[in-house]
Amino acid sequence: TYAGMSLRKALLSADKFFDCHCTRCIKETSSSGGDVASALPCVNCHDRVQGRYLDEDVQYDDDDENEVCYALPIKDLTSTSGSSDGDCSNYVCQKCGPDHSFVLGQSLNATVEKTIKRVTSHLNECERQIGGSDYNDKRDEMIEMTERLIGLSHSVLGAKHYCTNLLLVQSLGQKLSAIHSSILTISTGQKRKKKG
């Protein structure tokens, strides 16, 4: 799955009734590894507007001139604090190295956690709506909300975070569904004209 470590492990435990000990999970829980799916652009390498939001060149990570450096959340094995995104207290930048690890400031940490909760809630709502009787009526609203959350996720979490990528997949699915529905509507309308 594309999600961060804590969400993946929780889903496997709840749905499949086991604790995963695959290579990826073991690496992500060790002090030398890191949860790649939950990586954020490094706060030491990339300034944030108002301490929370990424500059546009960093948000989309599509410019070869400006390399974006990502920091992996490293689980503090001695910590008892509970964070919703992997129980992490430290982030280590792949460029800066472990000597420059950092802890998210209170404001940025709150923004990151709030963004993850909003995205997760929206994705769950989209999943509940699919196949519902009023799905077609709410589709445009859901597509618009997904697009807004993609912008928010890019600006707070960056292009490689699992929330951003799940939203992009959701958006693609919603748009393909809308195209499919339009084609069916047109096709049905043409059949009715031929009969009449």
Side-chain angles (χ1 to χ4, degrees):
T1 170
Y2 297 107
M5 180 185 63
S6 61
L7 182 58
R8 272 195 337 267
K9 286 181 137 319
L11 289 172
L12 287 172
S13 180
D15 296 346
K16 307 294 183 188
F17 309 107
F18 76 94
D19 292 326
C20 185
H21 299 289
C22 71
T23 307
R24 180 179 174 194
C25 287
I26 290 171
K27 181 180 177 190
E28 290 175 356
T29 56
S30 74
S31 60
S32 63
D35 186 359
V36 177
S38 297
L40 299 173
C42 177
V43 298
N44 296 325
C45 299
H46 308 289
D47 291 332
R48 289 181 177 253
V49 179
Q50 299 175 350
R52 297 183 197 169
Y53 305 106
L54 297 165
D55 272 344
E56 199 168 312
D57 344 344
V58 179
Q59 286 182 27
Y60 299 102
D61 192 14
D62 59 357
D63 184 1
D64 291 336
E65 284 181 35
N66 301 315
E67 179 186 2
V68 177
C69 303
Y70 286 88
L72 303 177
I74 303 296
K75 183 172 183 174
D76 182 354
L77 300 174
T78 62
S79 173
T80 57
S81 65
S83 168
S84 66
D85 205 37
D87 299 335
C88 299
S89 61
N90 287 335
Y91 281 79
V92 176
C93 177
Q94 294 171 318
K95 182 179 177 186
C96 300
D99 294 339
H100 299 283
S101 67
F102 60 89
V103 177
L104 295 180
Q106 187 175 6
S107 175
L108 179 56
N109 188 54
T111 302
V112 166
E113 287 193 8
K114 187 176 180 180
T115 302
I116 291 169
K117 285 179 184 173
R118 286 184 70 188
V119 168
T120 305
S121 173
H122 175 70
L123 292 171
N124 288 336
E125 180 63 25
C126 288
E127 197 66 33
R128 280 192 296 276
Q129 293 292 330
I130 292 175
S133 60
D134 58 347
Y135 175 71
N136 288 333
D137 298 335
K138 292 186 177 183
R139 182 179 30 233
D140 291 340
E141 287 177 34
M142 290 178 9
I143 289 173
E144 183 179 338
M145 180 55 75
T146 301
E147 293 299 320
R148 287 182 181 190
L149 286 174
I150 287 171
L152 175 65
S153 190
H154 269 291
S155 69
V156 173
L157 306 172
K160 291 188 178 180
H161 196 276
Y162 75 90
C163 285
T164 304
N165 289 298
L166 288 174
L167 284 168
L168 291 169
V169 169
Q170 179 68 33
S171 176
L172 180 62
Q174 288 170 334
K175 290 175 181 175
L176 288 172
S177 175
I179 291 169
H180 182 258
S181 179
S182 295
I183 290 170
L184 287 176
T185 302
I186 291 168
S187 175
T188 304
Q190 289 173 348
K191 286 180 184 177
R192 287 183 182 157
K193 284 182 182 179
K194 286 181 182 179
K195 287 182 180 180

